[in-house]
Amino acid sequence: MITLSQTSPDDGQRRTRAGALERVRSAAPPLVDWMPGAVIWAVLMAASAYLQLTLHEWATPTHINLVTSIFAGGGLVAFPMALWAARLLAQRRSPEARFAAMVVCLTVLTVGLTALFYAFDYRAYYSEWHDNAFTMRWVFELIFTTLAACYQFLVMGLRLFFPLGFVALAAAGLWFARHAH
């Protein structure tokens, strides 16, 4: 039998670390949840962008397809990450807390990853005028081009999530709140 005097302070830290790792592992969503969810979320985000762009007769079909693809890619990658993060945050919590966790995680990751994908395209366009790779000037150009792209996305691209994106977000939050974990 081990007494308190025989346990080291490291044992408590190891148990805490092991418990945290188990929480992270147990939050990983099963394939049956995230795979179809990612595809559905990508289609909904692409549809939201496409609807707004075509209703407002924006640019050309080629540009509409590019922007729609960026939104689809952002949704496709964001959903599994958001599902994992929401499961991690909402373990053994009320349905309201699960709803809030999913809405926040899905919003932040969808907008953030879609902005990042937009920044990749933006960077690819402007790279023709940038300095040679891995120079100090190139690093500054990369950072400021990416920041400018994210700002431009937030100003001009965020509206493409309205109103279909909000409806889809509420539906995803309700699904997650009711879904048994």
Side-chain angles (χ1 to χ4, degrees), residues 27-38:
L31 185 67
V32 72
D33 283 348
W34 73 259
M35 184 66 83

Side-chain angles (χ1 to χ4, degrees), residues 44-160:
L44 289 170
M45 295 304 97
S48 180
Y50 184 80
L51 179 69
Q52 287 296 324
L53 294 172
T54 55
L55 284 177
H56 294 91
E57 298 174 5
W58 187 82
T60 65
T62 304
H63 286 118
I64 289 174
N65 290 341
L66 175 65
V67 172
T68 301
S69 299
I70 289 170
F71 274 71
L76 186 69
V77 176
F79 187 85
M81 295 169 70
L83 185 58
W84 173 79
R87 286 173 56 105
L88 183 63
L89 292 172
Q91 286 180 346
R92 297 182 292 278
R93 299 253 184 341
S94 68
E96 295 84 6
R98 289 196 305 265
F99 176 84
M102 186 60 163
V103 167
V104 169
C105 291
L106 201 51
T107 299
V108 169
L109 284 164
T110 301
V111 170
L113 287 169
T114 306
L116 182 64
F117 289 168
Y118 177 77
F120 289 158
D121 182 61
Y122 196 88
R123 165 74 177 103
Y125 176 79
Y126 283 105
S127 65
E128 181 180 341
W129 298 284
H130 285 189
D131 207 10
N132 294 329
F134 307 113
T135 63
M136 187 56 101
R137 181 176 174 179
W138 176 84
V139 170
F140 281 110
E141 290 170 342
L142 175 69
I143 290 169
F144 287 104
T145 301
T146 303
L147 289 173
C150 289
Y151 172 76
Q152 186 177 13
F153 178 82
L154 291 175
V155 171
M156 296 171 53
L158 205 54
R159 64 185 170 168
L160 300 179

